[in-house]
Amino acid sequence: MNTEHQNALAPFVDRLIARSVLTATEQEAILALPSQHVEVRARHDFVRLREEVTHSCFIASGLVARFGQSRDGLRQITAFHVPGDMADLHSAIRPIGLGGLTALCDTVLLKISHSDIRTLASQYPAVAEAFWRDCMLDAAILMEWITNIGRHDARARLAHILCEMALRYGRGCAAASYPFPVTQEQLGDAASLTSVHVNRSLRGLREEGLADVRKGKVEIMDWEGLVRAGEFDPTYLVADTAEGRQKRLLAAV
Amino acid sequence: MNTEHQNALAPFVDRLIARSVLTATEQEAILALPSQHVEVRARHDFVRLREEVTHSCFIASGLVARFGQSRDGLRQITAFHVPGDMADLHSAIRPIGLGGLTALCDTVLLKISHSDIRTLASQYPAVAEAFWRDCMLDAAILMEWITNIGRHDARARLAHILCEMALRYGRGCAAASYPFPVTQEQLGDAASLTSVHVNRSLRGLREEGLADVRKGKVEIMDWEGLVRAGEFDPTYLVADTAEGRQKRLLAAV
DNA sequence: CGAGCAATTGAGTCGCATCAAGCTAGGTGG
DNA sequence: CCACCTAGCTTGATGCGACTCAATTGCTCG
């Protein structure tokens, strides 16, 4: 345990203040959270399915997937987490139930104990509110994920995932290019497709001039086209930045 | 707006105290929330997709579905809400983003204004905590839903949904029989199947002696068998009742 | 008693899974 | 510096689960 990584949490605070109002004091209190630096190798599950945990994991660098699993071991990725995300903030309030976490590439985590998070949240109601709201953004992404898996064909599913990640990497506006170190097998686990079909569908997107996914990088060639192909509506990701939504509900006067 | 329906909120409090500790004062404060009695006809969307709302809806009686939609109007049901649920509690903290709500049969709602919920949450941190935890249970159900849709065949998907609803109607232990007034078309919207295939798959479950779904009622003939068929693991629904998990995080001493 | 929606059944088709090879590139050791 | 190894990518052939289209049979209710 050390406290040298205070600055490393800055992206997390940025993420929170995009959707919630936090005073300088509250922001500093978050930055001052003690954290434990942990390095995780690619393909290692650092939170197992249905395991009860005592820490939440901030992603400092790398890429993480949340997953569920069917009886026969088939994995279903339910969310990707990029640097700056607190992958399982929710576990602080409910220490079980949202699946396992696995590192898709070599990843650096900052683990923060639930008790520290709880103490902070009880001390600053506005921080609790920001945490709660952040959890609900994650839930909104989950809901969109269901619609994507359930109602789109292979091409649209992949396009949708690429759109979502572009917005999340781009912090508001879509990134034209971003690192995405996943295998086609793992993309298949996310989109409920086999790696074979992912391969053919990605080739399709490339030949259509929409996007190129290669060697752990995504290049978006035609954003509008990709949005159309994925039937992607960014409302659910960006709505909170609209004025008036950044309220201090719990810390109301 | 009236306040005569205080007792009607009792199931909501019951639901909360199954997972969080609330004092008598806090419970009474929730029961005292002013609510607006609203009756909704079957098949009516009372919260439209991506609409910003000012109230949360408690289900007093009936059945409600949360849904997303693809471009061509194909619906995807992402959750069912039974009487006792606050269908969109999340909207109090984030007034947009978790899909629309539609009544599957004639339904009675109690609408509670966000500002009242916010005031209550700011006044009683333990209530805010209970609300937050309840939202995370919903999120856990969403995650399980993704794995179900993405990794199971038609038979298992339907069995899984029947298991989930049995536990939620049974409040902890599985109900052997419960009302479920949905058409096969709507079951298809939930399981990402066509009504034709739902029909054939339900017939399969019936012929296997697992469950009988007919005329808005579910009769479970073989619970263990149905659990196996749906690869259903109830952990995600019941874990909070384990001792030690009912903490008062925000209201810590 | 007819209107209308839901359930049921059948036949034909298609998207994606499955199975099975190669292929490629980066890494490793002799 | 080359031979090998392995993980991931690519491609082809074949089969099945679920969709589609279409018709018929209940139900329920005015």
Side-chain angles (χ1 to χ4, degrees):
Chain A
M1 180 75 64
N2 65 63
T3 55
E4 294 163 18
H5 297 282
Q6 296 177 357
N7 302 333
L9 286 175
F12 179 53
V13 172
D14 289 345
R15 187 188 147 111
L16 292 175
I17 60 177
R19 300 192 160 79
S20 307
V21 175
L22 294 173
T23 65
T25 310
E26 288 156 351
Q27 294 184 33
E28 277 155 25
I30 296 172
L31 291 172
L33 278 168
S35 66
Q36 188 184 355
H37 181 102
V38 175
E39 302 189 2
V40 179
R41 288 286 193 72
R43 316 189 143 272
H44 183 255
D45 299 352
F46 58 93
V47 173
R48 265 159 299 167
L49 205 54
R50 297 190 177 88
E51 176 183 18
E52 185 168 343
V53 293
T54 58
H55 292 70
S56 290
C57 301
F58 170 80
I59 318 292
S61 69
L63 187 66
V64 164
R66 194 188 300 162
F67 65 92
Q69 211 155 11
S70 72
R71 178 79 35 80
D72 48 3
L74 223 55
R75 285 203 167 182
Q76 173 66 51
I77 290 176
T78 58
F80 290 115
H81 286 292
V82 301
D85 288 2
M86 190 75 76
D88 54 354
L89 181 55
H90 54 82
S91 65
I93 195 90
R94 197 165 179 265
I96 207 171
L98 270 172
L101 291 174
T102 189
L104 297 178
C105 60
D106 290 351
T107 291
V108 177
L109 305 175
L110 298 181
K111 295 180 75 171
I112 302 178
S113 88
H114 287 168
S115 67
D116 287 333
I117 292 176
R118 290 168 187 163
T119 304
L120 190 66
S122 72
Q123 214 170 346
Y124 300 101
V127 171
E129 177 191 337
F131 285 172
W132 182 4
R133 185 169 296 124
D134 197 61
C135 285
M136 294 327 294
L137 174 66
D138 260 20
I141 295 175
L142 281 182
M143 232 219 59
E144 209 60 28
W145 203 284
I146 295 179
T147 308
N148 187 35
I149 300 295
R151 289 302 181 201
H152 293 157
D153 63 11
R155 170 175 172 270
R157 283 184 216 173
L158 292 169
H160 193 282
I161 290 174
L162 296 180
C163 287
E164 179 193 317
M165 297 314 291
L167 275 194
R168 290 174 57 195
Y169 269 110
R171 310 249 150 213
C173 63
S177 167
Y178 56 89
F180 198 36
V182 292
T183 66
Q184 295 182 347
E185 180 95 35
Q186 291 161 339
L187 259 184
D189 286 345
S192 290
L193 298 166
T194 58
S195 63
V196 173
H197 207 62
V198 167
N199 184 288
R200 295 198 235 259
S201 303
L202 285 181
R203 170 214 273 271
L205 290 178
R206 191 185 318 129
E207 288 176 352
E208 286 182 78
L210 296 178
D212 193 19
V213 182
R214 223 189 277 249
K215 307 196 189 230
K217 269 204 163 57
V218 176
E219 305 260 353
I220 294 177
M221 283 128 54
D222 175 1
W223 172 252
E224 289 303 328
L226 196 64
V227 164
R228 240 175 294 120
E231 300 203 8
F232 182 75
D233 181 339
T235 312
Y236 71 104
L237 283 177
V238 300
D240 292 311
T241 58
E243 61 170 318
R245 293 222 183 79
Q246 303 175 356
K247 292 164 189 157
R248 289 170 66 93
L249 311 185
L250 303 187
V253 189
Chain B
M1 180 74 69
N2 65 63
T3 55
E4 293 162 20
H5 298 280
Q6 295 177 0
N7 302 334
L9 285 175
F12 180 53
V13 172
D14 289 345
R15 188 189 148 113
L16 292 176
I17 60 178
R19 301 192 158 78
S20 305
V21 175
L22 294 173
T23 65
T25 311
E26 288 156 352
Q27 294 183 33
E28 278 156 25
I30 297 174
L31 291 173
L33 278 168
S35 66
Q36 187 184 356
H37 181 99
V38 176
E39 302 189 2
V40 179
R41 289 284 193 70
R43 312 186 148 273
H44 184 254
D45 299 351
F46 57 93
V47 173
R48 264 160 299 168
L49 205 56
R50 295 189 179 89
E51 177 183 16
E52 186 168 343
V53 292
T54 57
H55 292 69
S56 290
C57 301
F58 170 80
I59 318 292
S61 70
L63 187 66
V64 164
R66 195 187 297 161
F67 65 92
Q69 211 156 10
S70 73
R71 179 80 36 82
D72 48 4
L74 224 54
R75 285 202 167 182
Q76 173 66 51
I77 290 177
T78 57
F80 290 113
H81 286 292
V82 302
D85 288 4
M86 189 75 76
D88 56 352
L89 181 55
H90 55 82
S91 65
I93 195 90
R94 195 163 181 266
I96 207 170
L98 270 174
L101 292 175
T102 190
L104 298 178
C105 60
D106 290 352
T107 291
V108 177
L109 305 175
L110 298 181
K111 294 181 75 170
I112 301 178
S113 87
H114 286 169
S115 66
D116 287 333
I117 292 175
R118 290 169 188 162
T119 304
L120 189 67
S122 72
Q123 214 170 345
Y124 300 101
V127 171
E129 177 191 336
F131 285 172
W132 182 2
R133 185 169 296 125
D134 196 61
C135 285
M136 294 329 293
L137 172 66
D138 259 21
I141 295 175
L142 280 182
M143 233 217 60
E144 208 62 29
W145 202 283
I146 295 178
T147 307
N148 187 34
I149 300 293
R151 289 300 179 203
H152 292 158
D153 63 11
R155 170 175 173 270
R157 282 184 216 174
L158 292 170
H160 193 281
I161 289 175
L162 296 181
C163 288
E164 180 193 316
M165 297 314 292
L167 275 195
R168 288 174 58 195
Y169 269 108
R171 309 247 151 213
C173 64
S177 167
Y178 57 91
F180 198 36
V182 293
T183 65
Q184 295 181 349
E185 179 93 37
Q186 291 163 339
L187 258 184
D189 286 345
S192 289
L193 298 167
T194 58
S195 62
V196 172
H197 207 61
V198 168
N199 184 290
R200 295 197 234 260
S201 304
L202 286 182
R203 169 214 275 272
L205 291 179
R206 191 184 319 133
E207 288 175 353
E208 287 182 77
L210 297 179
D212 192 19
V213 182
R214 223 190 277 248
K215 308 195 189 225
K217 270 203 163 55
V218 176
E219 305 260 355
I220 295 177
M221 285 128 52
D222 175 2
W223 172 251
E224 289 303 328
L226 196 65
V227 163
R228 240 175 294 118
E231 301 202 10
F232 182 75
D233 181 339
T235 313
Y236 71 105
L237 283 178
V238 300
D240 291 311
T241 59
E243 62 171 317
R245 292 222 182 80
Q246 302 175 354
K247 293 161 188 157
R248 289 171 65 94
L249 311 184
L250 303 186
V253 190

